[in-house]
């Protein structure tokens, strides 16, 4: 397939031309959420980043199998090896079944992703549904001599692996760095080395999430799930593994070690990571009191928010920055994103109203090539957006009657603008959705009010005309009077 797409490979620390192992088929695995709380802005960024990649690969003509897991077991409270399982703890405190807790938050995550227009993955496996595959992975690592059993738990022997294969290739660390930054925690005496990580944990009597294994009744280590499920659904070698930068170490580093220790070579060709979202330069976190859920963004129900922000405003805000750069949240930045999104959506609406002329007096040539080049350059969505803004200026000038466009140029402009704004960036016109949710009755009611306003203006009843306009504005409508009538959007 003829493509010039380049992506930054975290493993090699450089941009590489994307060459799938089995083109036109592409295997892509992304670490999804741990479902013990409401989805937040930190969940939105990787979801939107890899949705952009998923959309673009499909637009290029690849057949993509996109696997995004859900962690519902094995993610412990203190770190990857110690503490209580987060979902089990919530279930104990709320007197619910762990899977009841998991399902509740899975549903809320799906609802938030749908609002953000994130396409569902091809497969969405749960860690708890793949215990057999994880036990098999542990058995293979043990058989190859890179793990050991201790008190019913199984640990990966990092020092032994490091001698043969080098532990730390992805994160750029060496074993001494890892040892110097490893915290002393209860239960470390089970390990040969503080850097060793759990492949299987023996469950304590009070631990309610447990499965039988050759070593003990217990549960898999957090790192095992992605390696086991990625191999099950994408094979021993697949193209892309992605997630947030906070997963590079230890999670993805451990995944590389597990794959090499079990099968003898690397499982993944390209490792991709999106950067973090900060608030006023500080990482978002519950303990810092700057934690905002997506539902709070959508409703405005958080003291840090000056207003509610629509799902598309959040999506556009994230896409305005390159996925490998930090995004710093502020109300001012989101309000600017809201205005920018409105400009693009108004241009899209105006584009559908344009009629061709005999000649073209605007420069729209090469828009598709410029957008394609930006996307091919490691998914440079900010540059794509800048090109769409330039196109929006041309569209608005044609709509205002100060410029012209011929039929062939108009068809090309419509195709490119819609492809990149809607199909690839995944934006959508939310006011049309609101109208659709009420059907013809919604649109009819708005048009009736605008008709009454026109009649009031014709009768020079300015007080009534202004009252209708002001009330509609308070409800979130934007009105624009033109020579052909009043245009409105929500």
């Amino acid at each position: 397939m003829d493509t010039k797409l380049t992506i930054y490979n975290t493993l090699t620390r450089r941009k590489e031309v994307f060459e799938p192992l089995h083109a036109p088929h592409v295997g892509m695995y992304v670490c999804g959420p741990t479902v013990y709380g409401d989805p937040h802005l930190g969940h939105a960024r990787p979801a939107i980043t890899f949705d952009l990649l998923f959309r673009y690969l499909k637009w290029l003509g690849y057949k993509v199998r996109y696997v995004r897991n859900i962690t519902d077991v094995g993610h412990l409270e203190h770190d990857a090896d110690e503490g209580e399982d987060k979902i089990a703890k919530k279930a104990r405190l709320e007197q619910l079944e762990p899977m009841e807790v998991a399902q509740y938050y899975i549903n809320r995550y799906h609802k938030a992703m749908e609002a953000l227009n994130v396409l569902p993955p091809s497969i969405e496996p749960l860690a708890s549904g793949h215990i057999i595959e994880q036990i098999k992975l542990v058995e293979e690592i043990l058989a190859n001599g890179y793990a050991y059993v201790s008190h019913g738990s199984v640990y990966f022997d990092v020092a032994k692996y490091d001698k043969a294969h080098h532990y730390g290739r992805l994160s750029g660390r060496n074993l001494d760095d890892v040892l110097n930054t490893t915290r002393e925690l209860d239960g470390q005496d089970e390990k040969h080395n503080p850097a060793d990580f759990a492949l299987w944990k023996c469950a304590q009597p009070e631990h309610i999430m447990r499965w039988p294994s050759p070593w003990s009744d217990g549960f898999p280590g957090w790192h095992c799930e992605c390696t086991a499920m990625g191999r099950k659904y994408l094979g021993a070698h697949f193209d892309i593994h992605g997630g947030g930068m906070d997963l590079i170490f230890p999670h993805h580093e451990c995944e590389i070690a597990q794959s090499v220790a079990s099968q003898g070579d690397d499982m993944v060709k390209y490792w991709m990571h999106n950067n973090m979202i900060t608030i006023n330069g500080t990482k978002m976190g519950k303990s810092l009191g700057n934690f905002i859920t997506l539902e709070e963004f959508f409703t405005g129900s958080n003291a840090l928010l000056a207003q509610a922000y629509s799902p598309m405003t959040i999506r556009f805000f994230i896409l305005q920055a390159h996925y490998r750069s930090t995004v710093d949240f502020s109300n001012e930045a989101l309000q600017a994103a809201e205005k920018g999104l409105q400009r693009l959506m108004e241009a899209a609406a105006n584009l559908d109203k344009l009629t061709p002329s005999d000649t073209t007096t605007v420069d729209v040539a090469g828009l598709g090539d410029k957008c394609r080049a930006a996307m091919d350059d490691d998914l440079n969505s900010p540059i794509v957006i800048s090109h769409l803004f330039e196109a929006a200026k041309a569209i608005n000038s044609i709509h205002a009657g100060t410029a012209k466009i011929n039929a062939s140029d108009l068809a090309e402009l419509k195709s490119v603008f819609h492809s990149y704004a809607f199909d690839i960036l995944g934006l959508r016109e939310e006011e049309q959705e609101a109208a659709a949710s009420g059907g013809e009755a919604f649109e009819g009611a708005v048009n009736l009010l605008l008709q009454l306003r026109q009649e009031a203006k014709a009768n020079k009843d300015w007080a009534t005309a202004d009252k209708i306009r002001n009330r509609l504005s308070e409800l979130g409508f934007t009105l624009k009077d033109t020579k052909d009538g009043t245009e409105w959007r929500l």
Side-chain angles (χ1 to χ4, degrees):
M1 184 172 294
D2 181 25
T3 176
K4 298 178 181 178
L5 172 63
T6 62
I7 56 178
Y8 185 86
N9 190 345
T10 310
L11 187 62
T12 60
R13 295 169 181 76
R14 60 183 174 84
K15 290 182 186 178
E16 298 180 5
V17 176
F18 180 63
E19 296 177 336
L21 295 168
H22 308 289
H25 299 275
V26 173
M28 182 168 103
Y29 190 102
V30 174
C31 291
T34 302
V35 285
Y36 65 94
D38 276 333
H40 52 78
L41 197 59
H43 287 126
R45 187 155 200 204
I48 291 170
T49 294
F50 292 101
D51 183 61
L52 176 67
L53 176 60
F54 185 34
R55 288 171 176 271
Y56 190 55
L57 289 172
K58 293 202 301 179
W59 186 83
L60 289 173
Y62 291 109
K63 297 178 179 179
V64 186
R65 177 175 289 175
Y66 176 17
V67 181
R68 185 185 67 205
N69 74 294
I70 286 179
T71 298
D72 61 348
V73 65
H75 203 296
L76 304 187
E77 192 177 18
H78 296 151
D79 72 354
D81 291 343
E82 301 300 331
E84 189 174 3
D85 185 286
K86 293 181 179 181
I87 294 171
K89 180 180 179 180
K90 201 167 188 72
R92 177 175 54 78
L93 293 174
E94 298 182 13
Q95 296 185 324
L96 298 170
E97 284 290 328
M99 291 303 102
E100 197 172 359
V101 172
Q103 191 62 57
Y104 174 81
Y105 288 112
I106 289 170
N107 293 343
R108 293 178 72 80
Y109 177 77
H110 286 162
K111 183 178 179 181
M113 294 304 105
E114 184 178 356
L116 292 168
N117 204 23
V118 170
L119 298 175
S122 314
I123 303 172
E124 192 174 52
L126 275 67
S128 63
H130 296 76
I131 302 298
I132 293 173
E133 288 83 0
Q134 294 175 77
I135 289 174
K136 181 182 178 183
L137 172 68
V138 177
E139 288 176 331
E140 291 171 349
I141 296 172
L142 275 167
N144 289 337
Y146 290 109
Y148 56 90
V149 181
S150 177
H151 301 282
S153 295
V154 184
Y155 293 97
F156 190 94
D157 193 332
V158 172
K160 185 172 183 180
Y161 174 85
D162 184 64
K163 290 179 181 178
H165 301 287
H166 178 48
Y167 179 78
R169 289 187 295 132
L170 186 67
S171 60
R173 305 185 187 203
N174 58 49
L175 187 55
D176 289 337
D177 294 333
V178 176
L179 290 172
N180 290 335
T181 56
T182 300
R183 295 186 299 161
E184 290 295 332
L185 296 168
D186 292 339
Q188 294 279 15
D189 57 343
E190 293 185 358
K191 301 180 181 182
H192 294 173
N193 188 313
D196 295 349
F197 58 89
L199 298 172
W200 184 266
K201 287 289 289 182
C202 177
Q204 298 303 310
E206 68 275 9
H207 199 100
I208 57 178
M209 298 179 77
R210 59 174 65 217
W211 291 263
S213 80
W215 317 287
S216 65
D217 281 2
F219 53 93
W222 172 39
H223 309 308
C224 282
E225 61 179 281
C226 294
T227 305
M229 293 189 291
R231 187 161 64 183
K232 177 179 176 66
Y233 295 111
L234 299 174
H237 303 95
F238 58 88
D239 300 297
I240 299 168
H241 196 321
M245 285 184 68
D246 57 327
L247 297 179
I248 292 176
F249 187 89
H251 186 48
H252 289 165
E253 194 72 74
C254 294
E255 278 201 64
I256 289 177
Q258 289 170 163
S259 66
V260 174
S262 62
Q263 66 184 39
D265 58 3
D266 284 319
M267 182 181 295
V268 179
K269 186 175 182 182
Y270 304 95
W271 287 89
M272 296 181 66
H273 296 89
N274 62 273
N275 213 320
M276 299 294 100
I277 292 181
T278 58
I279 296 183
N280 298 322
T282 303
K283 184 179 178 180
M284 183 185 296
K286 290 182 180 179
S287 61
L288 300 173
N290 62 1
F291 186 81
I292 309 174
T293 69
L294 289 173
E295 184 174 358
E296 288 172 336
F297 273 105
F298 301 159
T299 61
S301 56
N302 186 296
L304 294 173
L305 300 174
Q307 64 180 74
Y309 298 99
S310 73
M312 282 304 97
T313 298
I314 300 297
R315 185 178 181 102
F316 188 71
F317 168 68
I318 289 173
L319 289 171
Q320 277 186 307
H322 189 270
Y323 77 90
R324 288 193 288 114
S325 65
T326 302
V327 173
D328 193 49
F329 156 82
S330 68
N331 281 287
E332 293 76 15
L334 273 173
Q335 288 162 359
E338 185 176 60
K339 291 179 181 178
L341 175 64
Q342 182 176 334
R343 282 173 55 199
L344 280 189
M345 293 302 100
E346 286 177 349
N350 289 338
L351 178 58
D352 292 335
K353 299 172 186 175
L354 299 185
T355 55
S357 301
D358 294 334
T359 59
T360 296
T361 61
V362 291
D363 183 13
V364 293
L367 175 64
D369 291 338
K370 289 187 286 187
C371 289
R372 171 85 182 257
M375 284 300 297
D376 282 347
D377 184 16
D378 195 28
L379 309 180
N380 203 326
S381 59
I383 300 299
V384 174
I385 290 171
S386 71
H387 292 320
L388 293 179
F389 275 137
E390 288 297 318
K393 290 180 183 178
I395 292 166
N396 292 336
S397 64
I398 299 166
H399 182 255
T402 59
K404 298 179 180 180
I405 190 168
N406 65 35
S408 61
D409 287 343
L410 178 58
E412 177 68 12
L413 179 59
K414 284 184 177 181
S415 175
V416 171
F417 198 95
H418 282 85
S419 289
Y420 282 90
F422 302 127
D423 298 338
I424 295 172
L425 295 182
L427 303 173
R428 61 186 177 194
E429 299 176 356
E430 291 171 304
E431 68 275 9
Q432 290 186 358
E433 293 174 12
S437 67
E440 295 180 2
F442 181 94
E443 188 171 355
V446 176
N447 289 334
L448 175 60
L449 285 171
L450 294 179
Q451 182 181 341
L452 293 174
R453 179 171 173 269
Q454 283 298 110
E455 291 174 359
K457 290 171 67 177
N459 294 329
K460 298 185 178 181
D461 183 0
W462 309 119
T464 299
D466 289 345
K467 183 177 180 180
I468 293 173
R469 182 187 185 99
N470 292 340
R471 184 61 183 135
L472 286 172
S473 179
E474 290 171 4
L475 292 171
F477 289 87
T478 299
L479 306 183
K480 183 178 181 181
D481 293 320
T482 70
K483 56 183 175 61
D484 299 318
T486 301
E487 297 176 356
W488 64 271
R489 66 185 300 274
L490 185 60

